Coordinates of all heavy atoms in Angstrom, one line a residue:
Y327 N 3.8 5.4 4.3 CA 3.2 4.8 5.5 C 2.3 5.8 6.2 O 1.2 5.5 6.6 CB 4.3 4.2 6.4 CG 3.7 3.5 7.6 CD1 3.3 2.2 7.6 CD2 3.5 4.2 8.8 CE1 2.7 1.6 8.7 CE2 2.9 3.6 9.9 CZ 2.5 2.3 9.8 OH 1.9 1.7 10.9
A328 N 2.9 7.0 6.4 CA 2.1 8.0 7.1 C 0.8 8.4 6.4 O -0.2 8.6 7.1 CB 3.0 9.3 7.3
E329 N 0.8 8.4 5.1 CA -0.3 8.9 4.3 C -1.4 7.7 4.2 O -2.5 8.0 4.2 CB 0.1 9.3 3.0 CG -1.0 9.8 2.1 CD -1.7 11.1 2.5 OE1 -1.1 11.9 3.2 OE2 -2.9 11.2 2.1
V330 N -0.9 6.5 4.0 CA -1.8 5.4 3.6 C -2.1 4.4 4.7 O -3.2 3.9 4.8 CB -1.2 4.7 2.3 CG1 -2.1 3.6 1.9 CG2 -0.9 5.6 1.2
C331 N -1.1 4.1 5.5 CA -1.2 3.0 6.4 C -1.4 3.4 7.9 O -2.0 2.6 8.7 CB 0.1 2.1 6.4 SG 0.6 1.7 4.7
Q332 N -0.9 4.5 8.3 CA -0.8 4.9 9.7 C -2.2 5.0 10.3 O -2.3 4.7 11.5 CB 0.0 6.2 9.8 CG 0.1 6.7 11.2 CD 1.1 7.9 11.2 OE1 2.2 7.7 10.9 NE2 0.6 9.0 11.6
D333 N -3.2 5.5 9.6 CA -4.5 5.6 10.2 C -5.0 4.3 10.8 O -5.8 4.3 11.8 CB -5.5 6.2 9.3 CG -5.2 7.7 9.0 OD1 -4.4 8.3 9.7 OD2 -5.8 8.2 8.0
C334 N -4.7 3.2 10.2 CA -5.2 1.9 10.7 C -4.1 1.2 11.5 O -4.5 0.6 12.6 CB -5.6 1.0 9.5 SG -7.0 1.7 8.6
H335 N -2.9 1.2 11.1 CA -1.8 0.4 11.8 C -1.1 1.3 12.8 O -0.2 0.7 13.5 CB -0.8 -0.1 10.7 CG -1.5 -1.1 9.8 ND1 -1.7 -2.4 10.2 CD2 -1.9 -1.0 8.5 CE1 -2.2 -3.1 9.2 NE2 -2.4 -2.3 8.2
M336 N -1.5 2.5 13.0 CA -1.0 3.4 14.0 C 0.5 3.9 13.7 O 1.2 3.2 13.0 CB -1.0 2.9 15.4 CG -2.4 2.4 15.8 SD -3.6 3.8 15.9 CE -4.8 3.3 14.8
A337 N 0.9 5.0 14.2 CA 2.2 5.6 14.0 C 3.3 4.6 14.5 O 4.4 4.6 13.9 CB 2.3 6.9 14.7
N338 N 3.0 3.8 15.5 CA 4.0 2.9 16.0 C 4.0 1.5 15.4 O 4.7 0.6 15.8 CB 3.9 2.8 17.5 CG 2.6 2.3 18.0 OD1 1.7 1.9 17.2 ND2 2.3 2.3 19.3
G339 N 3.0 1.3 14.5 CA 2.9 0.0 13.8 C 2.2 -1.0 14.6 O 2.1 -2.2 14.2
K340 N 1.7 -0.7 15.8 CA 1.2 -1.7 16.7 C -0.3 -2.1 16.4 O -0.8 -3.0 17.0 CB 1.3 -1.3 18.1 CG 2.8 -1.2 18.6 CD 2.9 -1.2 20.0 CE 4.4 -1.1 20.4 NZ 5.1 -2.4 20.5
G341 N -0.9 -1.5 15.4 CA -2.2 -1.8 15.0 C -3.2 -1.3 16.0 O -2.9 -0.6 16.9
A342 N -4.5 -1.8 15.9 CA -5.5 -1.3 16.8 C -6.7 -2.3 16.7 O -6.8 -3.1 15.8 CB -6.0 0.1 16.4
A343 N -7.6 -2.2 17.7 CA -8.8 -3.0 17.7 C -9.9 -2.0 18.1 O -9.7 -1.1 18.9 CB -8.7 -4.1 18.7
G344 N -11.0 -2.2 17.6 CA -12.2 -1.4 17.9 C -13.3 -1.7 16.9 O -13.8 -2.8 17.0
A345 N -13.6 -0.8 16.0 CA -14.6 -1.1 15.0 C -14.1 -2.2 14.1 O -14.9 -2.9 13.4 CB -14.9 0.2 14.2
G346 N -12.8 -2.4 14.0 CA -12.2 -3.5 13.3 C -10.9 -3.8 13.9 O -10.5 -3.2 14.9
K347 N -10.3 -4.9 13.4 CA -9.0 -5.2 13.9 C -7.9 -4.9 12.9 O -8.0 -5.4 11.7 CB -8.9 -6.7 14.3 CG -7.6 -7.2 14.9 CD -7.7 -8.6 15.3 CE -6.5 -9.1 16.1 NZ -5.2 -8.7 15.9
Y348 N -7.0 -4.1 13.2 CA -5.9 -3.7 12.3 C -4.6 -4.3 12.8 O -4.1 -4.1 13.9 CB -5.8 -2.2 12.3 CG -7.1 -1.5 12.0 CD1 -7.9 -1.0 13.0 CD2 -7.5 -1.5 10.6 CE1 -9.2 -0.5 12.6 CE2 -8.7 -0.9 10.3 CZ -9.6 -0.4 11.3 OH -10.8 0.1 11.0
P349 N -4.0 -5.2 12.0 CA -2.9 -6.0 12.5 C -1.7 -5.2 13.0 O -1.4 -4.2 12.4 CB -2.5 -6.9 11.2 CG -3.8 -6.9 10.5 CD -4.5 -5.6 10.7
N350 N -1.0 -5.8 13.9 CA 0.2 -5.3 14.5 C 1.3 -5.6 13.5 O 1.6 -6.7 13.1 CB 0.5 -6.0 15.8 CG 1.7 -5.5 16.5 OD1 2.4 -4.7 16.0 ND2 2.0 -6.1 17.6
L351 N 2.0 -4.6 13.1 CA 3.2 -4.7 12.2 C 4.5 -4.8 13.0 O 5.5 -5.1 12.4 CB 3.2 -3.6 11.2 CG 2.0 -3.4 10.3 CD1 2.1 -2.1 9.4 CD2 1.7 -4.6 9.5
S352 N 4.4 -4.4 14.2 CA 5.6 -4.3 15.1 C 6.1 -5.7 15.4 O 5.4 -6.5 16.0 CB 5.3 -3.6 16.3 OG 6.3 -3.6 17.2
G353 N 7.3 -6.0 15.0 CA 7.9 -7.4 15.3 C 7.1 -8.5 14.7 O 7.1 -9.6 15.2
N354 N 6.5 -8.2 13.5 CA 5.7 -9.2 12.9 C 6.5 -10.2 12.0 O 7.1 -9.8 11.0 CB 4.6 -8.5 12.0 CG 3.6 -9.4 11.5 OD1 3.8 -10.6 11.2 ND2 2.4 -8.8 11.3
Q355 N 6.5 -11.4 12.4 CA 7.4 -12.4 11.7 C 6.8 -12.7 10.3 O 7.6 -13.2 9.5 CB 7.5 -13.7 12.6 CG 8.3 -13.5 13.8 CD 8.3 -14.8 14.7 OE1 7.6 -15.7 14.4 NE2 9.2 -14.7 15.6
K356 N 5.6 -12.5 10.1 CA 5.0 -12.7 8.7 C 5.7 -11.8 7.7 O 5.6 -12.1 6.5 CB 3.5 -12.5 8.7 CG 2.7 -13.5 9.5 CD 1.3 -13.2 9.4 CE 0.5 -14.3 10.2 NZ -1.0 -14.0 10.2
L357 N 6.3 -10.7 8.1 CA 6.9 -9.8 7.2 C 8.3 -10.3 6.7 O 8.9 -9.7 5.8 CB 7.1 -8.4 7.9 CG 5.8 -7.7 8.3 CD1 6.0 -6.4 9.0 CD2 4.9 -7.5 7.1
E358 N 8.8 -11.4 7.3 CA 10.1 -11.9 6.9 C 10.1 -12.2 5.4 O 11.0 -12.0 4.7 CB 10.4 -13.1 7.7 CG 11.8 -13.7 7.4 CD 12.2 -14.9 8.3 OE1 11.4 -15.3 9.1 OE2 13.3 -15.4 8.1
A359 N 9.0 -12.9 4.9 CA 8.9 -13.2 3.5 C 8.4 -11.9 2.8 O 7.2 -11.5 3.0 CB 7.9 -14.4 3.3
A360 N 9.2 -11.3 2.0 CA 8.8 -10.0 1.4 C 7.6 -10.1 0.5 O 6.8 -9.2 0.4 CB 10.0 -9.5 0.5
G361 N 7.3 -11.3 0.0 CA 6.1 -11.5 -0.9 C 4.8 -11.3 -0.1 O 3.8 -10.9 -0.7
Y362 N 4.8 -11.5 1.2 CA 3.6 -11.4 2.0 C 3.1 -10.0 2.1 O 2.0 -9.7 1.7 CB 3.9 -12.0 3.4 CG 2.7 -11.9 4.4 CD1 1.6 -12.7 4.2 CD2 2.7 -10.9 5.4 CE1 0.5 -12.6 5.1 CE2 1.6 -10.8 6.2 CZ 0.5 -11.6 6.1 OH -0.6 -11.5 6.9
P363 N 3.9 -9.0 2.5 CA 3.4 -7.6 2.5 C 3.2 -7.1 1.1 O 2.3 -6.3 0.9 CB 4.5 -6.8 3.3 CG 5.7 -7.6 3.2 CD 5.3 -9.1 3.1
M364 N 4.0 -7.5 0.1 CA 3.7 -7.1 -1.2 C 2.3 -7.5 -1.7 O 1.6 -6.7 -2.2 CB 4.8 -7.6 -2.2 CG 6.1 -6.8 -2.1 SD 7.2 -7.3 -3.5 CE 7.7 -9.0 -3.1
S365 N 2.0 -8.7 -1.5 CA 0.7 -9.2 -1.9 C -0.5 -8.6 -1.2 O -1.5 -8.3 -1.7 CB 0.6 -10.7 -1.9 OG 0.6 -11.2 -0.5

Side-chain angles (χ1 to χ4, degrees):
Y327 181 86
E329 179 69 22
V330 182
C331 310
Q332 182 171 297
D333 288 346
C334 296
H335 294 284
M336 304 295 121
N338 61 8
K340 293 197 182 274
K347 184 174 187 322
Y348 304 98
N350 180 1
L351 303 175
S352 176
N354 189 328
Q355 292 179 347
K356 291 180 180 179
L357 298 175
E358 181 176 3
Y362 178 75
M364 282 191 291
S365 67

